[in-house]
Amino acid sequence: MLFNSFTFLIFFPVVYALYLATQRRLALQNAVLLAASYVFYGWWSLKFLGLLLVTTGLDWTLGRALGRIDDPRARKTFVTISICMNLGLLGFFKYHDFFARALVDALARVGLTLSVPVLHVVLPVGISFYTFQSMGYVIDVYRRTSPPVEKLFDFAVYVAFFPQLVAGPIERAMHMVPQLTRPRVITPALVHEGLQLMLWGFFKKLVVADNLARIADPIFSAPRSSHGVDLLIGALAFTGQIYGDFSGYTDIARGVARMLGIELMVNFRLPYFARNPRDFWARWHVSLSTWLRDYLYVPLGGNRRRPGRMLVNLLITMLLGGLWHGAAWNFVIWGFFHGSWLVVHRLATSGEDRAPRSALTQAGAIAGTFALTVVGWVIFRAKTGADIAWILTHWGFATSASSSGLAWRLFVFWLPLVIVDAAQAASGDLLRLAKLRLAPRALVYASLFCGILAFGSRAGREFIYFQF
Amino acid sequence: MHALPTEIRAGSSWRDVWREVALTVALVVAINALVDRYLDIHPTNRAKAVVQAKWDLVRAPPKDLGWLVVGDSSANQGVDTRMLAAATHEAAINVATVGDFGVVGDAWMLQALLAAGGHPKRIVMVHVADVWVRGLEVLERVVTRLRPPVDVARFEPPLAWSMRQKLHLAWNHHFVNRFPFYTQNDSLTWLLLNPGKILHPPQVRLDPSGFESEPETSPELFAQDTPNLRKFMKGSSAELTAHQLAALETVARLTRRLHATLYIRPSPLWEGFAGDPAVQPFVNHVADQLEHFAATHASVVLLTRDPFWLPATQLQNADHATEEGARRFTQSTLDEILHRERRAP
C-alpha cells in the first residue's frame, strides 16, 4: 500500500480509530498495530508476507537463544546463522540475477562460456529495510547492547511496524522496542507534530518530487537528446526529486508513527546544507549510514586501525552501501564515488571537521558539496555508464528552445524545498514550521494543503526507495 | 563537527491543535473560494470557458431567434452564426459545446433555452460521427463541471445512471466541485507555470452569438488527432448509444412542439478520411441510423449523409475547421437549408 494512495486515506483513519479505541489495553493495541502492518504489507503481496514472517520468527528465536546462553562459540554460531539467513534472503531476491549476469559476462571476456540461470526474481518491497532492522537486532543482542525481546508478538510489531516497514527509517531495537512494550500516551504535541510532518511529507512527495520527476525522467531516459543546460536541469531536477521523495516518505512515516505515539529516528538533517561528504552522510539517510557504521565499518576495524586500512574500510563500507541501493553497476560506482570522496576529504582534513571561518567560505563549502552531490546523483540515476559519461561531459550552459520552460518548472518546484530547508537551517530546528505564530502557520499549512490538491501528482507514483 | 539541525520540541495543548486545524480548514475554504471566483471570471481551460459562455447564452436568448446551432466542438468552431443571421436577417446563436456532452447536452440546452423564453425556428445539429456512440461514462466526466452548477436531473431524457455513477455525480456535485484546487488542477498548474498570464488570462475567441473562430491551422494538433480518431472509428461499434438516441428523440419532440425544423448535419472532417476503410464504414453506419431517424420524424431533416470533407489547410485538427473552413461549411449548410425551405410547400 502506498502512502500516496486513496486506499491509505481510508486505511489510516480506520486503523487510527481502532488504535485509539484500544488505548487502555496495550496488548490489544499492539495487535491492532500488527494486523494493520500485515494488511499494509500484504496489500502489495501476500506471498512475500510469508518472507517477512520467516525473518521475524527466526530472528526472534535466535535473539532469545542469544539472551539465554553464554557460551561464546554457540553465541557466535547463532549470530552467524542470523546474518547468513538475512543476507542470504537479501542476496537471493536482490542480487542473484545481477551476480549471475556479471559472472557470465566476466567469464565470456576471458573466452569461457558458463550457463547460470537468470531467475527474474521479483524483489519483495522493503526487504532491504526490514532484513537490516531484524539482523541489527540479533547483532545487538549478541553484543549485549540490547536485551532480547521476550514476546514474539512485540518483536513482530517492531519488524513490521507499517509506517517504516517498506522504506525505513531502519530502526534500532533499543530505541523502538521499549516504546512498544509500555503504554503509549498520545499527547497534543505528538499529534500536532505528526500532522505537520505528514503534511510537509506529502507535499514534498506529491508536489516537489513527482513534478521534478516529470523533468528528470525524460532527460535521463534519453540523455543524448539533450545537452548543455537541459542536462544540468535534469540533474538538478533529480537531485530535488530524490530528496523530496525519500525525505517526504520519511516525514510521512514519522508523522504517522508520532500520531500513534511512537517516535522514529530522524533520517534527514538538511543534507543539501552539508559542508563536506562526511557532513553529508551525517545528514542523508541517517538510519542507513549509522547502521553501516555500526554493523560494517566498526567491525571492519573502523578508525582503530592504521590510516591506510581505515581508508580501505571506508571505501568498502561505501561500496557496499552503494550496492545496498540496488543490484546495478551504477549503484556500485555511486558508492565508490562517495567512498573516494570521503577518503580524499579525510586525507585532506586529517579527519577533523573544522567549521569554515567566514560565511563566504561556509557558503562555498555548501555549494561545493552540493555540486559533487549532484554529480553523484547523475551516477545514481543514469541507466548506463555511457549515459553517465554523456551527461557529465555534455552538461553546461548552452540553451535550447525548451530550456527556459524547464528552468522555470525546476525553479517553481524546488522553491518550497529551498525556503523551508533554509528556514530550518537558519534556526537549526527541523520543526521550524510548527514554531510559527498561529496565523502564518495556518496560512502555510493551508497553502501546502491547497498545493497538494492542485499540483500534487495523481498518478500514484511509487516512492523511489521502495525499489531498494 | 558543527551541530546538526535537530527537532526542537515544544509543548502544545488540545486547544492549540484544534485552533490550528480549524484556522487551516477555514483558510483552505477561503483560498478555494477566491480561486473558484477567479477561474469563473478568467477560465484558462478553453472547453470550460466555451461551455460556460454557451450556457450563459441559452439562459438569455435573443428574441426572433431564427437559428439555434447545437452540437459539439466541430459545430462550435464550424458554424458561423454571423453568416446565418446575415442571410435571413434573424438572430442566430451557436450553443454547441464539446463532444463529451453529446446529444444529451443539446437536449438540455434546448430545454434551458425554452425555459428562458427562447423560440428558435430552425435547429441545426452538428456532431462528429464518433460523438453519437459515446457512452454515459463520458458524460459522467463532464456533467458536474457545469458552472454555475446545472441541475440536469430536471431535464429530459431521463438517464440510466448506475448507482455508482449516481453516487459519483452527487459526490462531485455537492463536494468535489467546490474545490477548484482539486477539480481545476490543470488550469492552476498552467497558471503556476505561466504566472505572467494571471493578470492577462487567455481569451477564447468567441463571438457574442457563440461562434468560436480559429484563424490558424495547427499541424501539431492535426498530426496528433487524426490517427486517434481513425483508430477509434476502426475499433468501435458505430451503433448510436441508447441515451444519445433518447436525447435525439427529445430534441425532435421539442422541435415539433415549436413547429420548427431540426436539421442534422455531419461535421466537417479531414478529406483524407474519405473512402478510408477504417473510417468510411463507421461514418456510413451512423448516417444510416440518422437517415432512418429522419425518415420517421416529420420535423427532422438529415442534410447530408457524408461529413463535409475539408483539406488539412482548413482544419485545426481532424474535425475543427479554421475560419476559412467554417465559412465554407456554414455556406454549404445554409445553402442546403434555404434550398430545402424554398422547395417546401
Side-chain angles (χ1 to χ4, degrees):
Chain A
M1 193 185 300
L2 293 170
F3 284 153
N4 53 328
S5 66
F6 188 68
T7 321
F8 186 76
L9 277 184
I10 296 170
F11 170 84
F12 184 59
V14 170
V15 169
Y16 200 52
L18 288 171
Y19 190 81
L20 293 179
T22 52
Q23 183 73 10
R24 290 172 186 213
R25 298 179 66 187
L26 181 64
L28 201 56
Q29 197 175 44
N30 279 349
V32 169
L33 265 190
L34 188 61
S37 299
Y38 286 156
V39 168
F40 184 88
Y41 193 79
W43 206 265
W44 172 72
S45 165
L46 271 181
K47 191 171 57 181
F48 288 127
L49 188 57
L51 209 59
L52 179 66
L53 295 174
V54 168
T55 305
T56 306
L58 207 68
D59 280 335
W60 177 75
T61 309
L62 290 167
R64 250 172 80 93
L66 282 167
R68 287 179 180 179
I69 54 169
D70 291 320
D71 175 28
R73 282 181 62 188
R75 290 175 63 78
K76 202 165 217 168
T77 306
F78 285 158
V79 78
T80 307
I81 291 171
S82 171
I83 292 170
C84 288
M85 188 268 301
N86 281 297
L87 293 184
L89 280 178
L90 199 56
F92 174 75
F93 282 101
K94 196 162 176 175
Y95 302 109
H96 174 277
D97 288 355
F98 172 68
F99 283 117
R101 284 197 189 98
L103 182 65
V104 169
D105 288 350
L107 289 174
R109 289 211 177 110
V110 293
L112 294 171
T113 309
L114 181 71
S115 174
V116 179
V118 174
L119 303 176
H120 302 290
V121 183
V122 176
L123 181 69
V125 165
I127 189 169
S128 309
F129 291 91
Y130 71 72
T131 49
F132 268 39
Q133 183 161 315
S134 188
M135 182 168 64
Y137 156 75
V138 178
I139 298 171
D140 283 348
V141 178
Y142 170 73
R143 288 174 175 170
R144 299 189 199 280
T145 53
S146 181
V149 179
E150 283 307 313
K151 292 180 186 164
L152 173 61
F153 192 67
D154 293 339
F155 185 72
V157 179
Y158 159 68
V159 176
F161 184 52
F162 74 87
Q164 46 88 242
L165 171 61
V166 289
I170 304 166
E171 278 295 330
R172 305 296 176 88
M174 65 191 97
H175 175 236
M176 196 161 156
V177 172
Q179 298 188 69
L180 298 172
T181 52
R182 63 172 183 245
R184 294 172 284 272
V185 180
I186 298 169
T187 65
L190 285 176
V191 172
H192 180 211
E193 290 163 6
L195 286 172
Q196 190 236 291
L197 281 168
M198 285 169 70
L199 184 60
W200 179 229
F202 274 116
F203 186 89
K204 279 196 281 188
K205 165 62 183 165
L206 297 171
V207 179
V208 176
D210 287 356
N211 279 298
L212 289 176
R214 289 182 190 166
I215 305 174
D217 286 353
I219 291 174
F220 277 96
S221 62
R224 277 152 207 275
S225 312
S226 308
H227 67 284
V229 82
D230 292 358
L231 289 173
L232 202 56
I233 288 170
L236 287 169
F238 183 68
T239 302
Q241 181 201 346
I242 193 162
Y243 175 48
D245 191 285
F246 193 19
S247 72
Y249 178 90
T250 304
D251 281 355
I252 300 167
R254 296 183 69 239
V256 169
R258 208 164 276 194
M259 298 273 290
L260 297 167
I262 293 170
E263 301 269 0
L264 298 180
M265 68 185 290
V266 176
N267 214 15
F268 291 88
R269 296 181 187 273
L270 313 178
Y272 295 153
F273 283 88
R275 293 162 189 173
N276 56 58
R278 191 175 167 207
D279 191 20
F280 177 79
W281 283 104
R283 294 163 178 263
W284 178 271
H285 201 175
V286 179
S287 66
L288 176 69
S289 55
T290 51
W291 197 100
L292 291 172
R293 180 195 66 201
D294 295 345
Y295 300 106
L296 183 61
Y297 179 69
V298 170
L300 283 171
N303 303 347
R304 298 180 311 258
R305 301 286 172 87
R306 58 191 165 77
R309 178 60 197 268
M310 183 192 75
L311 297 178
V312 171
N313 292 343
L314 205 52
L315 211 51
I316 292 171
T317 305
M318 294 312 293
L319 264 178
L320 292 175
L323 197 58
W324 176 89
H325 284 83
W329 285 112
N330 60 321
F331 295 125
V332 179
I333 300 169
W334 179 73
F336 182 76
F337 170 80
H338 271 279
S340 310
W341 186 14
L342 280 165
V343 165
V344 170
H345 171 71
R346 196 164 275 261
L347 289 173
T349 60
S350 315
E352 288 173 24
D353 279 343
R354 280 185 294 268
R357 289 190 195 97
S358 67
L360 198 64
T361 45
Q362 275 191 37
I366 291 171
T369 305
F370 180 76
L372 282 172
T373 307
V374 175
V375 172
W377 290 134
V378 169
I379 298 168
F380 189 93
R381 176 65 176 82
K383 283 180 186 159
T384 63
D387 284 356
I388 296 170
W390 174 271
I391 295 170
L392 296 181
T393 54
H394 287 80
W395 64 8
F397 295 100
T399 56
S400 73
S402 54
S403 297
S404 60
L406 286 173
W408 176 251
R409 194 177 266 264
L410 180 79
F411 172 77
V412 163
F413 291 112
W414 248 104
L415 190 63
L417 266 188
V418 174
I419 293 173
V420 174
D421 279 22
Q424 291 176 340
S427 61
D429 181 6
L430 296 171
L431 294 173
R432 178 71 185 92
L433 284 184
K435 309 293 189 317
L436 291 169
R437 294 164 71 97
L438 178 64
R441 189 169 72 229
L443 189 61
V444 169
Y445 291 167
S447 305
L448 292 177
F449 190 77
C450 290
I452 291 169
L453 286 180
F455 312 121
S457 160
R458 297 176 190 181
R461 282 177 78 105
E462 278 203 353
F463 290 86
I464 294 176
Y465 266 67
F466 274 25
Q467 63 189 290
F468 301 145
Chain B
M1 190 94 160
H2 56 269
L4 289 167
T6 186
E7 290 186 334
I8 300 171
R9 315 294 289 269
S12 203
S13 65
W14 287 117
R15 189 167 165 266
D16 293 338
V17 174
W18 287 119
R19 273 174 60 197
E20 181 179 283
V21 170
L23 189 55
T24 303
V25 170
L27 282 168
V28 167
V29 171
I31 296 171
N32 262 283
L34 284 175
V35 169
D36 201 19
R37 185 81 189 116
Y38 172 86
L39 289 174
D40 271 353
I41 298 168
H42 304 296
T44 56
N45 180 311
R46 206 193 119 273
K48 185 192 171 214
V50 168
V51 172
Q52 199 168 308
K54 299 300 175 88
W55 273 91
D56 288 345
L57 264 179
V58 294
R59 286 181 185 118
K63 286 179 184 149
D64 187 25
L65 186 58
W67 303 86
L68 173 71
V69 180
V70 294
D72 54 33
S73 51
S74 71
N76 167 54
Q77 237 173 278
V79 185
D80 187 341
T81 28
R82 296 167 302 188
M83 290 171 67
L84 301 181
T88 59
H89 306 291
E90 294 162 321
I93 56 171
N94 181 332
V95 298
T97 55
V98 292
D100 285 350
F101 280 102
V103 190
V104 178
D106 303 340
W108 292 344
M109 295 193 106
L110 180 56
Q111 289 165 79
L113 181 109
L114 296 181
H119 193 119
K121 287 183 192 159
R122 306 171 197 86
I123 299 165
V124 180
M125 180 185 283
V126 177
H127 283 291
V128 186
D130 70 299
V131 168
W132 293 97
V133 305
R134 291 192 190 177
L136 264 183
E137 70 286 352
V138 176
L139 185 62
E140 182 194 345
R141 276 207 302 266
V142 291
V143 69
T144 54
R145 300 290 153 86
L146 292 168
R147 301 307 302 261
V150 178
D151 179 17
V152 294
R154 68 192 164 94
F155 292 135
E156 289 182 49
L159 297 171
W161 299 111
S162 66
M163 185 49 76
R164 188 199 63 78
Q165 283 171 324
K166 279 183 188 166
L167 287 173
H168 188 222
L169 289 172
W171 168 252
N172 278 343
H173 185 75
H174 295 296
F175 186 72
V176 177
N177 278 351
R178 315 277 171 193
F179 288 95
F181 265 101
Y182 186 76
T183 53
Q184 298 189 52
N185 60 325
D186 284 343
S187 294
L188 291 168
T189 303
W190 187 84
L191 285 171
L192 182 74
L193 298 176
N194 300 277
K197 305 279 186 187
I198 292 173
L199 294 177
H200 306 287
Q203 300 290 327
V204 177
R205 276 184 286 264
L206 215 56
D207 180 81
S209 63
F211 167 61
E212 185 185 358
S213 59
E214 178 51 62
E216 305 283 337
T217 57
S218 172
E220 202 176 299
L221 202 59
F222 181 84
Q224 198 183 333
D225 190 48
T226 41
N228 286 342
L229 187 61
R230 186 177 187 276
K231 192 175 161 194
F232 177 84
M233 290 191 181
K234 189 182 177 187
S236 307
S237 157
E239 290 298 324
L240 267 61
T241 38
H243 63 283
Q244 307 284 13
L245 204 53
L248 187 57
E249 281 285 359
T250 302
V251 176
R253 185 170 48 74
L254 293 172
T255 308
R256 197 167 55 244
R257 199 200 295 165
L258 287 165
H259 304 293
T261 309
L262 168 64
Y263 295 101
I264 303 174
R265 175 91 207 246
S267 73
L269 201 62
W270 176 46
E271 63 186 8
F273 284 151
D276 184 326
V279 174
Q280 196 68 56
F282 186 99
V283 165
N284 289 348
H285 192 59
V286 169
D288 289 344
Q289 294 166 84
L290 293 177
E291 200 166 52
H292 175 72
F293 186 90
T296 53
H297 292 76
S299 56
V300 181
V301 175
L302 178 66
L303 288 174
T304 62
R305 281 178 54 86
D306 255 0
F308 187 71
W309 303 115
L310 281 175
T313 50
Q314 291 173 12
L315 285 165
Q316 194 190 13
N317 62 12
D319 47 42
H320 286 183
T322 59
E323 264 176 11
E324 192 187 349
R327 237 186 334 266
R328 285 186 54 205
F329 179 64
T330 310
Q331 192 59 56
S332 154
T333 308
L334 188 58
D335 291 347
E336 279 284 341
I337 292 172
L338 295 181
H339 177 67
R340 280 168 191 269
E341 286 189 355
R342 277 195 290 268
R343 275 196 322 183

